[in-house]
PDB file of all heavy atoms in Angstrom:
ATOM      1  N   ASP E   1      96.764  98.063 130.294  1.00  0.00           N
ATOM      2  CA  ASP E   1      98.111  97.544 130.527  1.00  0.00           C
ATOM      3  C   ASP E   1      99.134  98.601 130.106  1.00  0.00           C
ATOM      4  O   ASP E   1      99.248  99.625 130.760  1.00  0.00           O
ATOM      5  CB  ASP E   1      98.284  96.234 129.767  1.00  0.00           C
ATOM      6  CG  ASP E   1      99.560  95.496 130.109  1.00  0.00           C
ATOM      7  OD1 ASP E   1     100.198  95.823 131.122  1.00  0.00           O
ATOM      8  OD2 ASP E   1      99.925  94.572 129.360  1.00  0.00           O
ATOM      9  N   VAL E   2      99.831  98.396 129.020  1.00  0.00           N
ATOM     10  CA  VAL E   2     100.855  99.336 128.572  1.00  0.00           C
ATOM     11  C   VAL E   2     100.349 100.134 127.379  1.00  0.00           C
ATOM     12  O   VAL E   2      99.451  99.704 126.655  1.00  0.00           O
ATOM     13  CB  VAL E   2     102.167  98.611 128.204  1.00  0.00           C
ATOM     14  CG1 VAL E   2     102.816  98.038 129.443  1.00  0.00           C
ATOM     15  CG2 VAL E   2     101.909  97.514 127.180  1.00  0.00           C
ATOM     16  N   THR E   3     100.948 101.314 127.165  1.00  0.00           N
ATOM     17  CA  THR E   3     100.533 102.185 126.066  1.00  0.00           C
ATOM     18  C   THR E   3     101.753 102.747 125.351  1.00  0.00           C
ATOM     19  O   THR E   3     102.878 102.696 125.858  1.00  0.00           O
ATOM     20  CB  THR E   3      99.673 103.355 126.567  1.00  0.00           C
ATOM     21  OG1 THR E   3     100.472 104.193 127.429  1.00  0.00           O
ATOM     22  CG2 THR E   3      98.451 102.867 127.327  1.00  0.00           C
ATOM     23  N   GLY E   4     101.516 103.316 124.174  1.00  0.00           N
ATOM     24  CA  GLY E   4     102.580 103.983 123.427  1.00  0.00           C
ATOM     25  C   GLY E   4     101.968 104.935 122.421  1.00  0.00           C
ATOM     26  O   GLY E   4     100.762 104.902 122.163  1.00  0.00           O
ATOM     27  N   SER E   5     102.791 105.792 121.851  1.00  0.00           N
ATOM     28  CA  SER E   5     102.320 106.711 120.819  1.00  0.00           C
ATOM     29  C   SER E   5     103.487 107.108 119.933  1.00  0.00           C
ATOM     30  O   SER E   5     104.651 106.966 120.308  1.00  0.00           O
ATOM     31  CB  SER E   5     101.679 107.958 121.435  1.00  0.00           C
ATOM     32  OG  SER E   5     102.652 108.744 122.113  1.00  0.00           O
ATOM     33  N   SER E   6     103.151 107.601 118.756  1.00  0.00           N
ATOM     34  CA  SER E   6     104.190 108.050 117.832  1.00  0.00           C
ATOM     35  C   SER E   6     103.591 109.071 116.888  1.00  0.00           C
ATOM     36  O   SER E   6     102.371 109.196 116.775  1.00  0.00           O
ATOM     37  CB  SER E   6     104.759 106.878 117.026  1.00  0.00           C
ATOM     38  OG  SER E   6     103.753 106.319 116.201  1.00  0.00           O
ATOM     39  N   ALA E   7     104.474 109.800 116.215  1.00  0.00           N
ATOM     40  CA  ALA E   7     104.019 110.789 115.237  1.00  0.00           C
ATOM     41  C   ALA E   7     105.163 111.136 114.309  1.00  0.00           C
ATOM     42  O   ALA E   7     106.340 111.001 114.662  1.00  0.00           O
ATOM     43  CB  ALA E   7     103.507 112.048 115.921  1.00  0.00           C
ATOM     44  N   ILE E   8     104.815 111.553 113.121  1.00  0.00           N
ATOM     45  CA  ILE E   8     105.766 112.099 112.161  1.00  0.00           C
ATOM     46  C   ILE E   8     105.326 113.509 111.835  1.00  0.00           C
ATOM     47  O   ILE E   8     104.221 113.718 111.320  1.00  0.00           O
ATOM     48  CB  ILE E   8     105.840 111.249 110.877  1.00  0.00           C
ATOM     49  CG1 ILE E   8     106.423 109.866 111.184  1.00  0.00           C
ATOM     50  CG2 ILE E   8     106.694 111.950 109.818  1.00  0.00           C
ATOM     51  CD1 ILE E   8     106.469 108.953 109.976  1.00  0.00           C
ATOM     52  N   THR E   9     106.157 114.479 112.175  1.00  0.00           N
ATOM     53  CA  THR E   9     105.798 115.869 111.914  1.00  0.00           C
ATOM     54  C   THR E   9     106.315 116.355 110.568  1.00  0.00           C
ATOM     55  O   THR E   9     105.792 117.315 110.012  1.00  0.00           O
ATOM     56  CB  THR E   9     106.345 116.778 113.024  1.00  0.00           C
ATOM     57  OG1 THR E   9     107.756 116.578 113.146  1.00  0.00           O
ATOM     58  CG2 THR E   9     105.691 116.444 114.358  1.00  0.00           C
ATOM     59  N   ALA E  10     107.348 115.687 110.043  1.00  0.00           N
ATOM     60  CA  ALA E  10     107.817 115.982 108.688  1.00  0.00           C
ATOM     61  C   ALA E  10     107.137 115.014 107.737  1.00  0.00           C
ATOM     62  O   ALA E  10     106.996 113.832 108.034  1.00  0.00           O
ATOM     63  CB  ALA E  10     109.328 115.824 108.604  1.00  0.00           C
ATOM     64  N   LYS E  11     106.693 115.491 106.616  1.00  0.00           N
ATOM     65  CA  LYS E  11     105.943 114.643 105.696  1.00  0.00           C
ATOM     66  C   LYS E  11     106.811 113.501 105.168  1.00  0.00           C
ATOM     67  O   LYS E  11     107.959 113.686 104.808  1.00  0.00           O
ATOM     68  CB  LYS E  11     105.385 115.477 104.542  1.00  0.00           C
ATOM     69  CG  LYS E  11     104.234 116.390 104.958  1.00  0.00           C
ATOM     70  CD  LYS E  11     103.626 117.082 103.758  1.00  0.00           C
ATOM     71  CE  LYS E  11     102.458 117.956 104.162  1.00  0.00           C
ATOM     72  NZ  LYS E  11     101.325 117.148 104.689  1.00  0.00           N
ATOM     73  N   SER E  12     106.216 112.300 105.129  1.00  0.00           N
ATOM     74  CA  SER E  12     106.921 111.100 104.703  1.00  0.00           C
ATOM     75  C   SER E  12     105.940 110.185 103.985  1.00  0.00           C
ATOM     76  O   SER E  12     104.728 110.368 104.075  1.00  0.00           O
ATOM     77  CB  SER E  12     107.526 110.385 105.919  1.00  0.00           C
ATOM     78  OG  SER E  12     108.135 109.171 105.527  1.00  0.00           O
ATOM     79  N   THR E  13     106.468 109.191 103.273  1.00  0.00           N
ATOM     80  CA  THR E  13     105.615 108.227 102.573  1.00  0.00           C
ATOM     81  C   THR E  13     105.498 106.906 103.316  1.00  0.00           C
ATOM     82  O   THR E  13     104.693 106.064 102.948  1.00  0.00           O
ATOM     83  CB  THR E  13     106.149 107.949 101.161  1.00  0.00           C
ATOM     84  OG1 THR E  13     107.485 107.472 101.254  1.00  0.00           O
ATOM     85  CG2 THR E  13     106.104 109.212 100.310  1.00  0.00           C
ATOM     86  N   VAL E  14     106.299 106.683 104.350  1.00  0.00           N
ATOM     87  CA  VAL E  14     106.247 105.437 105.110  1.00  0.00           C
ATOM     88  C   VAL E  14     106.098 105.777 106.594  1.00  0.00           C
ATOM     89  O   VAL E  14     106.811 106.621 107.115  1.00  0.00           O
ATOM     90  CB  VAL E  14     107.509 104.583 104.892  1.00  0.00           C
ATOM     91  CG1 VAL E  14     107.447 103.318 105.738  1.00  0.00           C
ATOM     92  CG2 VAL E  14     107.656 104.229 103.419  1.00  0.00           C
ATOM     93  N   HIS E  15     105.181 105.095 107.258  1.00  0.00           N
ATOM     94  CA  HIS E  15     104.864 105.396 108.647  1.00  0.00           C
ATOM     95  C   HIS E  15     104.744 104.112 109.452  1.00  0.00           C
ATOM     96  O   HIS E  15     104.076 103.171 109.023  1.00  0.00           O
ATOM     97  CB  HIS E  15     103.538 106.161 108.741  1.00  0.00           C
ATOM     98  CG  HIS E  15     103.491 107.385 107.885  1.00  0.00           C
ATOM     99  ND1 HIS E  15     103.697 108.645 108.385  1.00  0.00           N
ATOM    100  CD2 HIS E  15     103.285 107.547 106.560  1.00  0.00           C
ATOM    101  CE1 HIS E  15     103.613 109.531 107.408  1.00  0.00           C
ATOM    102  NE2 HIS E  15     103.365 108.879 106.281  1.00  0.00           N
ATOM    103  N   SER E  16     105.354 104.068 110.613  1.00  0.00           N
ATOM    104  CA  SER E  16     105.166 102.940 111.520  1.00  0.00           C
ATOM    105  C   SER E  16     104.967 103.474 112.926  1.00  0.00           C
ATOM    106  O   SER E  16     105.537 104.496 113.302  1.00  0.00           O
ATOM    107  CB  SER E  16     106.352 101.973 111.472  1.00  0.00           C
ATOM    108  OG  SER E  16     107.545 102.623 111.835  1.00  0.00           O
ATOM    109  N   ALA E  17     104.166 102.775 113.692  1.00  0.00           N
ATOM    110  CA  ALA E  17     103.831 103.220 115.040  1.00  0.00           C
ATOM    111  C   ALA E  17     104.747 102.558 116.057  1.00  0.00           C
ATOM    112  O   ALA E  17     105.485 101.622 115.754  1.00  0.00           O
ATOM    113  CB  ALA E  17     102.382 102.884 115.343  1.00  0.00           C
ATOM    114  N   SER E  18     104.680 103.037 117.291  1.00  0.00           N
ATOM    115  CA  SER E  18     105.527 102.505 118.351  1.00  0.00           C
ATOM    116  C   SER E  18     105.125 101.077 118.709  1.00  0.00           C
ATOM    117  O   SER E  18     103.968 100.679 118.548  1.00  0.00           O
ATOM    118  CB  SER E  18     105.426 103.393 119.594  1.00  0.00           C
ATOM    119  OG  SER E  18     104.098 103.426 120.064  1.00  0.00           O
ATOM    120  N   LYS E  19     106.104 100.299 119.184  1.00  0.00           N
ATOM    121  CA  LYS E  19     105.838  98.953 119.663  1.00  0.00           C
ATOM    122  C   LYS E  19     105.558  99.004 121.165  1.00  0.00           C
ATOM    123  O   LYS E  19     106.099  99.819 121.889  1.00  0.00           O
ATOM    124  CB  LYS E  19     107.051  98.058 119.446  1.00  0.00           C
ATOM    125  CG  LYS E  19     107.237  97.534 118.044  1.00  0.00           C
ATOM    126  CD  LYS E  19     108.385  96.540 118.043  1.00  0.00           C
ATOM    127  CE  LYS E  19     108.581  95.885 116.687  1.00  0.00           C
ATOM    128  NZ  LYS E  19     109.660  94.879 116.722  1.00  0.00           N
ATOM    129  N   ILE E  20     104.714  98.079 121.627  1.00  0.00           N
ATOM    130  CA  ILE E  20     104.527  97.887 123.054  1.00  0.00           C
ATOM    131  C   ILE E  20     104.593  96.398 123.348  1.00  0.00           C
ATOM    132  O   ILE E  20     104.322  95.571 122.475  1.00  0.00           O
ATOM    133  CB  ILE E  20     103.194  98.456 123.573  1.00  0.00           C
ATOM    134  CG1 ILE E  20     102.000  97.811 122.880  1.00  0.00           C
ATOM    135  CG2 ILE E  20     103.154  99.972 123.406  1.00  0.00           C
ATOM    136  CD1 ILE E  20     100.653  98.228 123.471  1.00  0.00           C
ATOM    137  N   THR E  21     104.965  96.056 124.554  1.00  0.00           N
ATOM    138  CA  THR E  21     105.020  94.661 124.969  1.00  0.00           C
ATOM    139  C   THR E  21     104.018  94.443 126.092  1.00  0.00           C
ATOM    140  O   THR E  21     104.221  94.924 127.203  1.00  0.00           O
ATOM    141  CB  THR E  21     106.431  94.281 125.468  1.00  0.00           C
ATOM    142  OG1 THR E  21     107.380  94.549 124.440  1.00  0.00           O
ATOM    143  CG2 THR E  21     106.486  92.806 125.839  1.00  0.00           C
ATOM    144  N   PRO E  22     102.916  93.760 125.844  1.00  0.00           N
ATOM    145  CA  PRO E  22     101.942  93.492 126.908  1.00  0.00           C
ATOM    146  C   PRO E  22     102.589  92.724 128.055  1.00  0.00           C
ATOM    147  O   PRO E  22     103.474  91.901 127.849  1.00  0.00           O
ATOM    148  CB  PRO E  22     100.871  92.643 126.215  1.00  0.00           C
ATOM    149  CG  PRO E  22     101.014  92.971 124.763  1.00  0.00           C
ATOM    150  CD  PRO E  22     102.476  93.215 124.542  1.00  0.00           C
ATOM    151  N   SER E  23     102.144  92.990 129.273  1.00  0.00           N
ATOM    152  CA  SER E  23     102.731  92.345 130.448  1.00  0.00           C
ATOM    153  C   SER E  23     102.094  90.992 130.742  1.00  0.00           C
ATOM    154  O   SER E  23     102.542  90.282 131.640  1.00  0.00           O
ATOM    155  CB  SER E  23     102.581  93.247 131.675  1.00  0.00           C
ATOM    156  OG  SER E  23     101.213  93.433 131.989  1.00  0.00           O
ATOM    157  N   THR E  24     101.065  90.635 129.990  1.00  0.00           N
ATOM    158  CA  THR E  24     100.378  89.371 130.224  1.00  0.00           C
ATOM    159  C   THR E  24     100.008  88.713 128.902  1.00  0.00           C
ATOM    160  O   THR E  24      99.820  89.397 127.893  1.00  0.00           O
ATOM    161  CB  THR E  24      99.106  89.596 131.066  1.00  0.00           C
ATOM    162  OG1 THR E  24      98.472  88.334 131.304  1.00  0.00           O
ATOM    163  CG2 THR E  24      98.131  90.518 130.355  1.00  0.00           C
ATOM    164  N   ALA E  25      99.928  87.419 128.906  1.00  0.00           N
ATOM    165  CA  ALA E  25      99.475  86.701 127.716  1.00  0.00           C
ATOM    166  C   ALA E  25      97.995  86.968 127.479  1.00  0.00           C
ATOM    167  O   ALA E  25      97.245  87.282 128.394  1.00  0.00           O
ATOM    168  CB  ALA E  25      99.727  85.205 127.874  1.00  0.00           C
ATOM    169  N   ASP E  26      97.596  86.849 126.238  1.00  0.00           N
ATOM    170  CA  ASP E  26      96.198  86.991 125.838  1.00  0.00           C
ATOM    171  C   ASP E  26      95.633  88.383 126.072  1.00  0.00           C
ATOM    172  O   ASP E  26      94.419  88.550 126.245  1.00  0.00           O
ATOM    173  CB  ASP E  26      95.316  85.950 126.536  1.00  0.00           C
ATOM    174  CG  ASP E  26      95.725  84.532 126.187  1.00  0.00           C
ATOM    175  OD1 ASP E  26      95.986  84.278 124.998  1.00  0.00           O
ATOM    176  OD2 ASP E  26      95.814  83.700 127.092  1.00  0.00           O
ATOM    177  N   ALA E  27      96.496  89.381 126.068  1.00  0.00           N
ATOM    178  CA  ALA E  27      96.021  90.761 126.064  1.00  0.00           C
ATOM    179  C   ALA E  27      95.554  91.115 124.656  1.00  0.00           C
ATOM    180  O   ALA E  27      95.929  90.461 123.683  1.00  0.00           O
ATOM    181  CB  ALA E  27      97.132  91.710 126.496  1.00  0.00           C
ATOM    182  N   VAL E  28      94.717  92.138 124.550  1.00  0.00           N
ATOM    183  CA  VAL E  28      94.332  92.631 123.241  1.00  0.00           C
ATOM    184  C   VAL E  28      95.043  93.961 123.026  1.00  0.00           C
ATOM    185  O   VAL E  28      95.103  94.809 123.911  1.00  0.00           O
ATOM    186  CB  VAL E  28      92.794  92.785 123.103  1.00  0.00           C
ATOM    187  CG1 VAL E  28      92.226  93.792 124.086  1.00  0.00           C
ATOM    188  CG2 VAL E  28      92.417  93.177 121.687  1.00  0.00           C
ATOM    189  N   VAL E  29      95.623  94.129 121.868  1.00  0.00           N
ATOM    190  CA  VAL E  29      96.370  95.338 121.529  1.00  0.00           C
ATOM    191  C   VAL E  29      95.584  96.111 120.478  1.00  0.00           C
ATOM    192  O   VAL E  29      95.272  95.585 119.418  1.00  0.00           O
ATOM    193  CB  VAL E  29      97.773  94.993 120.998  1.00  0.00           C
ATOM    194  CG1 VAL E  29      98.530  96.266 120.639  1.00  0.00           C
ATOM    195  CG2 VAL E  29      98.552  94.192 122.028  1.00  0.00           C
ATOM    196  N   ILE E  30      95.258  97.350 120.797  1.00  0.00           N
ATOM    197  CA  ILE E  30      94.420  98.166 119.923  1.00  0.00           C
ATOM    198  C   ILE E  30      95.156  99.458 119.582  1.00  0.00           C
ATOM    199  O   ILE E  30      95.713 100.110 120.468  1.00  0.00           O
ATOM    200  CB  ILE E  30      93.073  98.488 120.593  1.00  0.00           C
ATOM    201  CG1 ILE E  30      92.325  97.186 120.890  1.00  0.00           C
ATOM    202  CG2 ILE E  30      92.219  99.398 119.717  1.00  0.00           C
ATOM    203  CD1 ILE E  30      91.050  97.376 121.680  1.00  0.00           C
ATOM    204  N   ALA E  31      95.171  99.809 118.320  1.00  0.00           N
ATOM    205  CA  ALA E  31      95.849 101.023 117.872  1.00  0.00           C
ATOM    206  C   ALA E  31      94.898 101.897 117.076  1.00  0.00           C
ATOM    207  O   ALA E  31      94.031 101.401 116.351  1.00  0.00           O
ATOM    208  CB  ALA E  31      97.066 100.683 117.016  1.00  0.00           C
ATOM    209  N   PHE E  32      95.069 103.198 117.215  1.00  0.00           N
ATOM    210  CA  PHE E  32      94.301 104.169 116.439  1.00  0.00           C
ATOM    211  C   PHE E  32      95.304 105.049 115.715  1.00  0.00           C
ATOM    212  O   PHE E  32      96.149 105.680 116.340  1.00  0.00           O
ATOM    213  CB  PHE E  32      93.420 105.008 117.357  1.00  0.00           C
ATOM    214  CG  PHE E  32      92.534 105.990 116.625  1.00  0.00           C
ATOM    215  CD1 PHE E  32      91.291 105.601 116.158  1.00  0.00           C
ATOM    216  CD2 PHE E  32      92.937 107.293 116.405  1.00  0.00           C
ATOM    217  CE1 PHE E  32      90.474 106.494 115.488  1.00  0.00           C
ATOM    218  CE2 PHE E  32      92.135 108.191 115.740  1.00  0.00           C
ATOM    219  CZ  PHE E  32      90.894 107.792 115.280  1.00  0.00           C
TER     220      PHE E  32
END
């Protein structure tokens, strides 16, 4: 379905990844 990615190139202590909105109900969202 939909994908996203994110990165921090400057060192930090807090990290959050990009959000995605599935186009259908009951999709499975997997992040690495």
